[in-house]
Structure formats: C-alpha cells, structure tokens
Amino acid sequence: MNLRTPGPTPCPPEILAALGRQMIDHRGPEAAAMITRLTAALQRAFQTRNDVVIVTASGTGGLEAAVANVISPGDKVLSVSIGVFGDRFAAIARAYGAEVMSLSSEPGHAADPGAVAEALAADPSIRAVLVTHNETSTSVTNPLADIARVVRESRDRDGSPLLLVDAVSSMASIPVLVDEWGLDVVVSGSQKGWMVPPGLAFLSISARAWKANARCTSPRYYFDAARHRDAAAKGQTPWTPALSLFFALDVALEMLEREGWDNVFSRHARVAEFTRRGVQELGLELLADQRFASNTVTAVRAPEGVDVSALRKLLRDEHGVVLAGGQGPLAGKIVRIGHLGLVAESDISEALSALGSALASLGFRPPARV
Ligand code: PLP
C-alpha cells in the first residue's frame, strides 16, 4: 500500500525491525543511555535548549499535557484556530476550565498575526495563546514566526502570555525554531514526520513555562511535566515507557540526523511543491491559500459530483493508494495527500497517477486548459 495519509506515515524497514526488539529493563543502564540520547537528539530537532520530555500518548495527549501543566482554571486563553486541530486545542483548554476566546479563520486560510496582536492588545489579561503550526485538516502552515513575534511583543514582566504550539504535523518536516521564536510549550507526535508508529508525544518546555507550571493549579498526574523532566534527568520516564516505540525513535532520529535536518526540510519542501503542481496538472483545485501551503499535507477539493468516499475506496481497492478524507466541515469535500516522513517524488507520482485514473473512472473530466 502507498500510505499517503498525513499520519500515521509509513515506517522504513530499519524502524520496523527496531519495533521487534526484545524488551529491556526500563530502569536499567541500557534504557538510561537511550533516554538520555533521545532527549538530546529531540532538543536538536526542536532547535532548543529547553527541556524536552517524551510522553507515552498520541499527539492529543501531548496537547493535553501542554494545557494541564501551564493553564489554570479561570485563565484567559486566546485560541488561534484555523481548523479542526486548532479547535481541539481550544476544547482541551476549556475542559481544564480556561476562559477561551477564539480567533478563527475560514478553512484554507492562515491566521493573521495582526489580528492576534489586536486581540492581545485589547485584553492584557490573556495568559496564553494556543496556535497550530501546521493545520493538518486544511493543509495550511501558519506564519508562526510572525505570530510568535507579536506574542513576544505583548509579553508582560511575568512572561505572560505564554505561547503554546501544536507542532504535531510540522516538527521534523518543516523548520520550527523553538528558541529563536520564543515558543514556550511545543508539542509533536511520533506518527508524523518522525516515521515512528503512533504512541509518543514530545514536548519542549521553556523557562517561562516552568514558572507558570510552578503556579499552575490544574490537576495532573500521568502528564505531570515536572515528573517527566526529573525522571529524564536520571535517564528514566516516570511511568513504564512504550519501549518499542522508544527503540523505533532511536533509529528514526539517527536516520534523520544522518540525512541532515536541512536536507529533511528541503526534501519536504520539494516533494510538497511537486505534489501541488501535480494536483493542478490533473485539473484539480487546491484548498489552501497557496502563500501558506503546507509542506507535509495537501488538501485537494473534490470536483463537483465526485463522491469522496467512492473515490477513496477505488484508490485503495484498485490502486493500493490510501488518501485521507476531510474532517469536520470539510468531510466529503476534500481529499488529503500526506507527504511527510518517509516520502519521495516517486510515491507522489504513483499516488497522483492513481488519483487521475480513479477520477476518470468516476466520470471526472478535467476542465479544458486555456
Ligand atoms: N494536531 C495536529 C496538527 C494533528 O495533525 C494531529 C493528528 O493528526 C493531532 C493534533 C492529534 O494527534 P493524535 O491523533 O496523535 O492524537
């Protein structure tokens, strides 16, 4: 199968082999060396000197950990949402008792840093800003450097507001400059560009965020970041880690570092451009505002009269190509092509030629070119 969903992504054979390794003592020296090595490699990937912790959870667990550790009941939070995953981040903050104000955009559009600056200026009591770097549901990458700048410029002497970033589908594929941009809590998930199966979330936590953590009154136990940090200092995790996924991550980080992060980022940019061009050559329309097109996923509008579930079924059954559908308000309106992690132009060529044939057999005729 050519798995072209925006996560889980295909795992290379070296990583699949690591998943089959025998268990080890998770409190022993071998695990300690591995956890120390992984933590340092993740800091390099996140381009940060901040603490980085690994939790056994999917990306959503990572987002919940971010909220539970720095946002207290009653805190005012600005949610900058451009899709389903932005809305989810806000829903988690609401579940923890935050007073959430929302700044949202139409599907396919990026957030406007000017509007974020205005919202922050209008209410200096906002304690945190939540933003999705790469909105997987619409294939849009927010201008995070600019959003981070306006948040930095609005910070008071207490370090408020904090900037919490969902980088689940960007980190490891698109540059995220955690220290340079002053990002306080940044979350990613193993099943995306990392080429590891689902089940691990990574969080970087700034000194400002640790101060908020010390004051934070939200209940937390499994996701208590301080316990994770203190355990990591001893080469451990507070609870039994998903060791097989740790083995896989160890191999993945070695492979990614061998390729070189700059090469990884430029490969993603190149393959994304190749995807967008190919989609347009099929006579199809892209959903995203192309100034903010994502380098990890491409959303394609379903042509008038084409049933998306029939299209996806045909692609899977007849061509061995798996694409994702739309989520929330975009269900039935788009298909999404994932191009992150283990991906090259040849995977996309195959997916696009299958897409062209499947559409043709469903009666789609591309508009004549002018
Ligand atoms: N945030 C973004 C941007 C995502 O793409 C995803 C997963 O698709 C998540 C959060 C949620 O992660 P998970 O499904 O691993 O809980």
Side-chain angles (χ1 to χ4, degrees):
M1 279 285 175
N2 185 354
L3 180 65
R4 298 269 51 97
T5 55
T9 61
C11 298
E14 299 90 320
I15 289 175
L16 294 178
L19 289 164
R21 265 189 222 155
Q22 186 54 277
M23 289 299 104
I24 56 171
D25 170 15
H26 68 296
R27 305 283 179 217
E30 207 185 327
M34 175 176 69
I35 289 168
T36 304
R37 187 164 64 240
L38 290 179
T39 306
L42 285 171
Q43 283 175 313
R44 292 193 289 275
F46 276 60
Q47 306 192 49
T48 189
R49 300 170 74 135
N50 290 341
D51 291 305
V52 173
V53 298
I54 309 172
V55 296
T56 292
S58 80
T60 306
L63 297 179
E64 177 153 350
V67 168
N69 279 282
V70 297
I71 292 175
S72 299
D75 277 0
K76 279 196 189 167
V77 168
L78 178 67
S79 144
V80 181
S81 175
I82 62 166
V84 165
F85 291 107
D87 292 350
R88 184 181 301 181
F89 210 175
I92 296 170
R94 243 178 248 115
Y96 276 81
E99 190 185 318
V100 179
M101 287 163 282
S102 292
L103 200 60
S104 26
S105 313
E106 284 301 301
H109 291 273
D112 170 13
V116 177
E118 274 171 33
L120 292 175
D123 191 345
S125 64
I126 292 172
R127 305 298 297 263
V129 177
L130 312 179
V131 63
T132 316
H133 183 205
N134 185 77
E135 178 51 73
T136 321
S137 68
T138 61
S139 73
V140 170
T141 303
N142 268 320
L144 185 56
D146 295 334
I147 295 170
R149 181 176 40 77
V150 306
V151 173
R152 274 199 314 274
E153 287 168 359
S154 75
R155 275 203 185 115
D156 63 19
R157 280 198 296 166
D158 268 353
S160 209
L162 294 177
L163 180 52
L164 275 54
V165 179
D166 172 345
V168 170
S169 63
S170 57
M171 188 68 82
S173 310
I174 301 172
V176 186
L177 282 63
V178 171
D179 286 359
E180 197 173 315
W181 296 344
L183 313 179
D184 293 302
V185 184
V186 183
V187 180
S188 192
S190 57
Q191 79 275 27
K192 305 287 182 175
W194 307 94
M195 309 184 291
V196 170
L200 297 181
F202 320 123
L203 286 95
S204 70
I205 301 160
S206 72
R208 255 187 316 274
W210 283 121
K211 282 198 189 141
N213 174 260
R215 292 190 301 261
C216 178
T217 57
S218 283
R220 53 194 183 273
Y221 189 84
Y222 184 81
F223 286 137
D224 188 337
R227 287 180 193 252
H228 281 81
R229 175 198 56 195
D230 297 346
K234 295 183 285 179
Q236 294 193 11
T237 51
W239 332 118
T240 311
L243 274 175
S244 305
L245 299 178
F246 278 55
F247 295 152
L249 181 65
D250 203 10
V251 175
L253 286 168
E254 201 196 306
M255 289 176 74
L256 290 162
E257 290 200 328
R258 205 178 321 124
E259 182 175 356
W261 283 115
D262 287 343
N263 296 329
V264 172
F265 300 146
S266 53
R267 174 169 53 84
H268 280 82
R270 208 182 59 227
V271 174
E273 183 54 37
F274 181 82
T275 309
R276 294 188 285 262
R277 206 170 341 111
V279 165
Q280 289 170 303
E281 280 165 8
L282 288 176
L284 299 169
E285 226 183 290
L286 300 166
L287 172 75
D289 173 344
Q290 288 305 288
R291 294 170 300 166
F292 301 100
S294 166
N295 283 346
T296 58
V297 55
T298 295
V300 182
R301 287 185 195 276
E304 199 66 39
V306 168
D307 175 349
V308 169
S309 32
L311 173 64
R312 291 178 58 222
K313 183 168 180 350
L314 196 58
L315 282 167
R316 169 194 287 271
D317 295 350
E318 303 290 323
H319 300 273
V321 170
V322 183
L323 302 188
Q327 295 163 286
L330 293 170
K333 297 187 177 154
I334 57 168
V335 287
R336 292 174 301 144
I337 306 171
H339 34 80
L340 70 171
L342 182 66
V343 65
E345 279 90 341
S346 54
D347 303 303
I348 300 300
S349 290
E350 187 187 291
L352 289 175
S353 92
L355 181 60
S357 328
L359 281 168
S361 57
L362 290 173
F364 170 68
R365 297 285 166 269
R369 295 197 189 203
V370 276

